[in-house]
Amino acid sequence: MAMEIDSATLPLPVIRESTQATILCYNCGAPIDGTQAAGALCSDCLKLTVDITAGIERDGILYMCRDCDRWLSPPTSYVVATLESRELLALCLRKLRGLNKSRIIDASFIWTEPHSRRIKLKITVQQEAFQGTILQQTFDVEFVQQYRQCPDCQKSYTHNTWRAVVQVRQKVPHKRTFLYLEQLILKQGAHKETINIKEVQNGIDFYFSQRNHAEKFIDFLTSVSPVRTKKSQELISMDIHTSSASYKFSYACELVPVCKDDLVALPPKLAKTLGNISPLTLCYRIGTAVNLLDPNTLQISDLSTPIYWRTPFAPLADVQSLVEFVIMDIEPLGPSKGRFVLAEATVARASDLGVNDTTYNIRTHLGAVLHAGDSAMGYHLTGSQYNNDNFEAIQASKQYGGTIPDVILVKKHYAARRKHGGGKSRNWKLKRMAREESEMKPRKQDAEREAVDYEQFLRDLEADEDLREGLKLYRDGDAAPKRGMEVDGEDDDDEDEGLEIPMEQLIDEMEDVGLEDEDVEGEEV
């Protein structure tokens, strides 16, 4: 039986193309998709009729303190921002009301004249106009720059508004230590938070508007000098309802009265604890500790600040007691330690030349820099009377009584520069801190003594390379023409050639400010 197969084909269903429901834009009549149209408007009409920036301010006021160049960041804080910087742009955007409802896509400055005191911004934002429709628009904002003095500058112009004072003192007859400390402060910028600097007898007072600024300054002093600090406070006002009080703080910082090149007579017991060094030593450097040197053996020891204040003592003699000696003969012995070389020398006092033939055979640590015929400054111990208990104990000691030398040389002496008559002028200079001057003029002798101390400090910087490592020395442009006018053969100050500072170690004032001429020229091109 055969099966019959139906070969008839069935028609497939017809797939009809779906058509979109289109409507006409009620503004311009353009056909648009009715299912996705927002408010029956086409995209072009939507951009023209809907303003998503209507609730955003188009102008504002920026307050700037002309004394410190800081900008007011509401409500009360002041921030540092340069023109067309990211900080200033963020400050401007925060001041615009209604901007938080939109998404910021881009923001940039529009150039304005510097003297116009106008700051313009170009801002691009996105916001949802209707459901499912996001618009992006760009608009301009203009700010007017006005001046308002900040509270910190107001206090700086008003007396007795300080909150903390740091009183730095050192009981020495000269100011070389404060001159060196001033240069360290200038290099590190530790005085930027001060509202006033006042020079007083035996020291300097630094006034601060906040307590933490004073404590930060004390930390800096402790890191560069041997100092001890005492704190006191004075109650200004007190609120009994909230238990809040306002104080003024005073910090007394006393520097160790031992300076560079001072002759020190240590207590014998203290000398034994410092590596059994000879009690009669020289201070060759002052850092966070007092660095001592025995010129007869080149032994070095460090006296820390806490140990010194346990048994404080005054130096046996300072730089004002130095006497000039002439080197008659010198011979190195061989031992050396760093820049010190032990040598035997025959010296005579410069004032005795032509009067008597008294000479002294001594040992010195200056064998690397002294030669026959040079001059050196030193302490003349023979026949000198010192009212010092430690020195009397050394003289009475059986161990050290016979080791006291006749002369202790300290440093090489260079001929003094002539201030007039075409002498050599320095090719460098130092910056000084701005400080409050007293209403009464200083006495003539005090002014002369300060001038002598400053000149001696400059000469120490020229002679000691280690001393000027941590300082900033600037090129003196005014000294160059004077040096160029000197005629060969007329300059007789050949002795001070060792005091010349290489130009590589000097800093240009413009470079220190941070102006780079190459970058500026590249931008102009």
PDB file of all heavy atoms in Angstrom, residues 68-81:
ATOM      1  N   CYS A  68      48.714  90.762  51.642  1.00  0.00           N
ATOM      2  CA  CYS A  68      49.270  89.404  51.580  1.00  0.00           C
ATOM      3  C   CYS A  68      48.888  88.669  50.299  1.00  0.00           C
ATOM      4  O   CYS A  68      49.266  87.501  50.134  1.00  0.00           O
ATOM      5  CB  CYS A  68      48.832  88.594  52.791  1.00  0.00           C
ATOM      6  SG  CYS A  68      47.034  88.419  52.964  1.00  0.00           S
ATOM      7  N   ASP A  69      48.109  89.320  49.403  1.00  0.00           N
ATOM      8  CA  ASP A  69      47.716  88.724  48.115  1.00  0.00           C
ATOM      9  C   ASP A  69      46.951  87.419  48.283  1.00  0.00           C
ATOM     10  O   ASP A  69      47.110  86.478  47.506  1.00  0.00           O
ATOM     11  CB  ASP A  69      48.942  88.500  47.223  1.00  0.00           C
ATOM     12  CG  ASP A  69      49.568  89.808  46.788  1.00  0.00           C
ATOM     13  OD1 ASP A  69      48.862  90.830  46.800  1.00  0.00           O
ATOM     14  OD2 ASP A  69      50.769  89.802  46.439  1.00  0.00           O
ATOM     15  N   ARG A  70      46.105  87.362  49.296  1.00  0.00           N
ATOM     16  CA  ARG A  70      45.262  86.189  49.512  1.00  0.00           C
ATOM     17  C   ARG A  70      43.811  86.533  49.196  1.00  0.00           C
ATOM     18  O   ARG A  70      43.389  87.680  49.290  1.00  0.00           O
ATOM     19  CB  ARG A  70      45.389  85.673  50.949  1.00  0.00           C
ATOM     20  CG  ARG A  70      46.766  85.135  51.296  1.00  0.00           C
ATOM     21  CD  ARG A  70      46.745  84.449  52.645  1.00  0.00           C
ATOM     22  NE  ARG A  70      46.359  85.363  53.721  1.00  0.00           N
ATOM     23  CZ  ARG A  70      46.148  84.984  54.981  1.00  0.00           C
ATOM     24  NH1 ARG A  70      46.276  83.705  55.305  1.00  0.00           N
ATOM     25  NH2 ARG A  70      45.820  85.870  55.892  1.00  0.00           N
ATOM     26  N   TRP A  71      43.031  85.494  48.838  1.00  0.00           N
ATOM     27  CA  TRP A  71      41.641  85.665  48.429  1.00  0.00           C
ATOM     28  C   TRP A  71      40.726  85.120  49.507  1.00  0.00           C
ATOM     29  O   TRP A  71      41.015  84.098  50.150  1.00  0.00           O
ATOM     30  CB  TRP A  71      41.376  84.941  47.107  1.00  0.00           C
ATOM     31  CG  TRP A  71      42.245  85.396  45.978  1.00  0.00           C
ATOM     32  CD1 TRP A  71      43.526  84.992  45.724  1.00  0.00           C
ATOM     33  CD2 TRP A  71      41.913  86.344  44.964  1.00  0.00           C
ATOM     34  NE1 TRP A  71      44.011  85.620  44.617  1.00  0.00           N
ATOM     35  CE2 TRP A  71      43.041  86.467  44.114  1.00  0.00           C
ATOM     36  CE3 TRP A  71      40.779  87.087  44.673  1.00  0.00           C
ATOM     37  CZ2 TRP A  71      43.063  87.294  43.015  1.00  0.00           C
ATOM     38  CZ3 TRP A  71      40.796  87.918  43.574  1.00  0.00           C
ATOM     39  CH2 TRP A  71      41.919  88.019  42.753  1.00  0.00           C
ATOM     40  N   LEU A  72      39.595  85.811  49.694  1.00  0.00           N
ATOM     41  CA  LEU A  72      38.627  85.396  50.699  1.00  0.00           C
ATOM     42  C   LEU A  72      37.864  84.173  50.214  1.00  0.00           C
ATOM     43  O   LEU A  72      37.246  84.184  49.146  1.00  0.00           O
ATOM     44  CB  LEU A  72      37.650  86.532  50.996  1.00  0.00           C
ATOM     45  CG  LEU A  72      36.487  86.203  51.925  1.00  0.00           C
ATOM     46  CD1 LEU A  72      36.995  85.792  53.297  1.00  0.00           C
ATOM     47  CD2 LEU A  72      35.527  87.372  52.024  1.00  0.00           C
ATOM     48  N   SER A  73      37.918  83.113  51.015  1.00  0.00           N
ATOM     49  CA  SER A  73      37.143  81.906  50.747  1.00  0.00           C
ATOM     50  C   SER A  73      36.059  81.838  51.815  1.00  0.00           C
ATOM     51  O   SER A  73      36.354  81.560  52.989  1.00  0.00           O
ATOM     52  CB  SER A  73      38.034  80.659  50.799  1.00  0.00           C
ATOM     53  OG  SER A  73      37.274  79.486  50.566  1.00  0.00           O
ATOM     54  N   PRO A  74      34.806  82.156  51.458  1.00  0.00           N
ATOM     55  CA  PRO A  74      33.751  82.276  52.464  1.00  0.00           C
ATOM     56  C   PRO A  74      33.646  81.012  53.324  1.00  0.00           C
ATOM     57  O   PRO A  74      33.882  79.893  52.847  1.00  0.00           O
ATOM     58  CB  PRO A  74      32.486  82.489  51.630  1.00  0.00           C
ATOM     59  CG  PRO A  74      32.986  83.048  50.336  1.00  0.00           C
ATOM     60  CD  PRO A  74      34.304  82.387  50.107  1.00  0.00           C
ATOM     61  N   PRO A  75      33.358  81.196  54.621  1.00  0.00           N
ATOM     62  CA  PRO A  75      32.951  82.490  55.194  1.00  0.00           C
ATOM     63  C   PRO A  75      34.100  83.369  55.719  1.00  0.00           C
ATOM     64  O   PRO A  75      34.024  84.576  55.616  1.00  0.00           O
ATOM     65  CB  PRO A  75      32.038  82.059  56.340  1.00  0.00           C
ATOM     66  CG  PRO A  75      32.573  80.728  56.752  1.00  0.00           C
ATOM     67  CD  PRO A  75      33.087  80.060  55.518  1.00  0.00           C
ATOM     68  N   THR A  76      35.147  82.765  56.278  1.00  0.00           N
ATOM     69  CA  THR A  76      36.145  83.603  56.948  1.00  0.00           C
ATOM     70  C   THR A  76      37.582  83.294  56.549  1.00  0.00           C
ATOM     71  O   THR A  76      38.480  84.052  56.907  1.00  0.00           O
ATOM     72  CB  THR A  76      36.029  83.428  58.470  1.00  0.00           C
ATOM     73  OG1 THR A  76      36.185  82.047  58.815  1.00  0.00           O
ATOM     74  CG2 THR A  76      34.693  83.943  58.977  1.00  0.00           C
ATOM     75  N   SER A  77      37.828  82.217  55.852  1.00  0.00           N
ATOM     76  CA  SER A  77      39.209  81.815  55.569  1.00  0.00           C
ATOM     77  C   SER A  77      39.743  82.539  54.337  1.00  0.00           C
ATOM     78  O   SER A  77      38.984  82.953  53.455  1.00  0.00           O
ATOM     79  CB  SER A  77      39.295  80.302  55.360  1.00  0.00           C
ATOM     80  OG  SER A  77      38.512  79.914  54.247  1.00  0.00           O
ATOM     81  N   TYR A  78      41.078  82.684  54.301  1.00  0.00           N
ATOM     82  CA  TYR A  78      41.774  83.289  53.167  1.00  0.00           C
ATOM     83  C   TYR A  78      42.747  82.269  52.588  1.00  0.00           C
ATOM     84  O   TYR A  78      43.447  81.582  53.348  1.00  0.00           O
ATOM     85  CB  TYR A  78      42.536  84.542  53.598  1.00  0.00           C
ATOM     86  CG  TYR A  78      41.656  85.768  53.727  1.00  0.00           C
ATOM     87  CD1 TYR A  78      40.855  85.955  54.839  1.00  0.00           C
ATOM     88  CD2 TYR A  78      41.615  86.737  52.732  1.00  0.00           C
ATOM     89  CE1 TYR A  78      40.035  87.070  54.972  1.00  0.00           C
ATOM     90  CE2 TYR A  78      40.802  87.856  52.847  1.00  0.00           C
ATOM     91  CZ  TYR A  78      40.021  88.018  53.963  1.00  0.00           C
ATOM     92  OH  TYR A  78      39.211  89.119  54.077  1.00  0.00           O
ATOM     93  N   VAL A  79      42.764  82.163  51.262  1.00  0.00           N
ATOM     94  CA  VAL A  79      43.609  81.182  50.585  1.00  0.00           C
ATOM     95  C   VAL A  79      44.557  81.909  49.638  1.00  0.00           C
ATOM     96  O   VAL A  79      44.261  83.005  49.147  1.00  0.00           O
ATOM     97  CB  VAL A  79      42.764  80.150  49.804  1.00  0.00           C
ATOM     98  CG1 VAL A  79      41.912  79.341  50.740  1.00  0.00           C
ATOM     99  CG2 VAL A  79      41.899  80.843  48.760  1.00  0.00           C
ATOM    100  N   VAL A  80      45.686  81.273  49.374  1.00  0.00           N
ATOM    101  CA  VAL A  80      46.678  81.811  48.452  1.00  0.00           C
ATOM    102  C   VAL A  80      46.405  81.252  47.056  1.00  0.00           C
ATOM    103  O   VAL A  80      46.314  80.034  46.877  1.00  0.00           O
ATOM    104  CB  VAL A  80      48.106  81.452  48.906  1.00  0.00           C
ATOM    105  CG1 VAL A  80      49.132  81.987  47.919  1.00  0.00           C
ATOM    106  CG2 VAL A  80      48.378  81.995  50.306  1.00  0.00           C
ATOM    107  N   ALA A  81      46.251  82.135  46.086  1.00  0.00           N
ATOM    108  CA  ALA A  81      45.970  81.709  44.707  1.00  0.00           C
ATOM    109  C   ALA A  81      46.479  82.778  43.757  1.00  0.00           C
ATOM    110  O   ALA A  81      46.222  83.971  43.958  1.00  0.00           O
ATOM    111  CB  ALA A  81      44.478  81.463  44.493  1.00  0.00           C
TER     112      ALA A  81
END
